[in-house]
Amino acid sequence: MNLVVVSNRVARGKPNEPMTGGLAAALLPVVEHSGAIWVGSSGRVRDGHQKEPFAEIEALGSGAIATLDLPAAHYGGYYEGFANSALWPALHSRSDLIRVSREDYVSYREVNAFMARALMRFRKTKTAFWVQDYHFLALGAELRDLGVDDPIGFFLHTPWPVTAVMQGVPNHRELITAMLAYDLLGFQTNEDCQNFLGYVAGELGLAVEDGVAISQHGRTRCEVFPIGIDAEKFAAYAAKSASHPDVSRLRRSLNGERLAIGVDRLDYSKGLVNRISAFDRLWTEQPQFARSISLLQIANPSRGAIEAYGNLQNEVARLVTDVNGRHGEVDWTPIRYLNKGFSQAVLAGLYRTAQVGVVTPLHDGMNLVAKEYVAAQNPADPGVLVLSKFAGAANELETALLVNPHDIDGMARAIAVAAAMPLTERKMRWDAMMKKLRGHTIQQWSADFVAELEKSRTQKAAVAPLASQPPQALRWLKSAISGVRLI
C-alpha cells in the first residue's frame, strides 16, 4: 500500500534546526522510514490564477515531502480564522475564545477542497490517505466528492471536548457529518473517542455500535491510538548534546542550583500563567527554595495575529518580569524566559540538565514534551516529571507527579517534592515511565494506525503491508505527476 500523509505543516528533519511543533516532530520518523509521501503547506500563499495546485517535492529518508502554496484569498480565514479561532479553542474547551465569521468557515472548506484536488496527483493504485489534525476535518469528504474510494484515515492530535462545547462551533453539524467520510478516526485518549461518539449519537442521532458510527458515508470506525516518541533516539540526542555550547553554558551558569524546565508553544492551553504563579508561590511560601531552584521557560510564540495570543504573550511577559523583580537578586534570576525555538538535539540536552520537568497544560491531546523529558534523562540520576492530569500523557506516565494545573498551591508543593526527591524514588519512577515509552513508540503508533486503516475497507482486495513495499516514493512521483517541480 502506498501511503500519503497530510498535515498543515511538515518538517524536514534537520537536527540543528528548531521543530515547528509536536505534530511535525512526531510524523518525521514515520515518513523517513516508511516511504510515505508527506503533503502539507509550504508556508506561502498564491493567488487563484494557477490552473492546478503547485507542489515542490524533495526526498526525506525513504519517503518524500510535497509542499503546496495555499490560496491567498482563503488562507487567513482558514488558518487564523476557523482553524485557530474556532476549532482550536473549542477542542481545548475554551468556548469563550471562539471568534469566527461565516466567511472564515467558507475559507476553511475552500482550503480543504483545494488540498483534496492537490492530493489527486499523489494517488495511484492501492493508495491510502492518512490525514492529520483539526485543519482538515472535512478533507475526507472532499476526497470522496472527487470519487476517491481508497481507505482514508484521520488522526486528531488535540483533545475532543464534550458535546456542549462543540455545539459552540458554527456549522458544527455539517462539519462533523463530513468527518464521517473517513474510514477510520483516531484519537489520543478513550475520553476523546467517547466524547466524539457521544456527539455523533446524541447530536446527529446516528447509530453507534462497538466504536463504529453508521452514516450516509457508511461505516466509520473510531479508535484510540496514543501517540509515542522514539525514546531511544531522544536518549541518544541527550547523551550526545552534553557538549553543545547552549547546554554547556547553561550548566556552568547554574552554580550548583537545581533547574526546572518548561518547553511550550506560547498558547493559552499550556497553562503558562498558572505555572509561573506556582513558582511564585513556591518562592513566597517556602523561601528556602529561593536560589536553590530556578525555572527555564522556553515559550515559542505562534499565531501572533490572533488577539488571544497577543494578549497572552503580553500577560506572560509582565508576569515573568513581576516575579523576577520580587524574588530575584543581583546574581540570581528566578525565571529565565526565552521566546525562541530549539532543535530536538539541543532540547534533549536542556531536558537532561534540568532536575525537574514541568509540563502543566490546562488541556492537551498528548503533550510529547512530557515524553521527551523522560527519555532525555540520565538513567543514573534522572529528573522528576511534574505533569498535568489533563494531558493525554498522564494516562501512560502514571509515576510522574500528577497535578491539577488550576491548583496553584498544589503545583507549588509538587515542584518542592520533585526538587527534594531522593535518588531511589526518582529512579523507580523514571524506570516505570521509560518502560511505557519503549513499549509505545512512534513507530508502533503509526504501524497500528496503518494496519487498522488497511482493514477498514474489507471489500477491497488484500494489499501487501506497507513495510514490505520498496521505498519508491520519489520514483513514482517523478513519473506520475506533471507540472510539479522537483527540488
Side-chain angles (χ1 to χ4, degrees), residues 223-242:
E223 292 194 20
V224 177
F225 301 89
I227 194 168
I229 64 170
D230 188 335
E232 300 301 337
K233 181 179 180 180
F234 217 84
Y237 275 153
K240 186 177 180 180
S241 65

Side-chain angles (χ1 to χ4, degrees), residues 45-79:
V45 297
R46 288 187 168 226
D47 62 34
H49 299 302
Q50 67 265 36
K51 295 181 180 179
E52 53 188 2
F54 178 87
E56 292 183 345
I57 312 243
E58 61 184 284
L60 179 64
S62 63
I65 290 176
T67 54
L68 308 169
D69 298 348
L70 297 184
H74 294 291
Y75 184 80
Y78 149 75
Y79 184 75

Side-chain angles (χ1 to χ4, degrees), residues 200-277:
V200 169
E203 180 69 15
L204 300 183
L206 299 176
V208 173
E209 184 176 352
D210 294 330
V212 176
I214 310 299
S215 73
Q216 66 196 54
H217 300 288
R219 295 166 56 86
T220 299
R221 178 166 294 281
C222 302
E223 292 194 20
V224 177
F225 301 89
I227 194 168
I229 64 170
D230 188 335
E232 300 301 337
K233 181 179 180 180
F234 217 84
Y237 275 153
K240 186 177 180 180
S241 65
S243 60
H244 190 280
D246 286 338
V247 178
S248 57
R249 284 199 303 269
L250 174 62
R251 283 206 179 98
R252 288 195 301 270
S253 71
L254 291 173
N255 296 318
E257 72 183 84
R258 292 185 172 274
L259 179 71
I261 189 170
V263 178
D264 309 84
R265 276 190 314 102
L266 192 52
D267 190 284
Y268 49 76
S269 68
K270 302 303 181 181
L272 293 176
V273 170
N274 288 9
R275 182 184 308 166
I276 294 167
S277 298

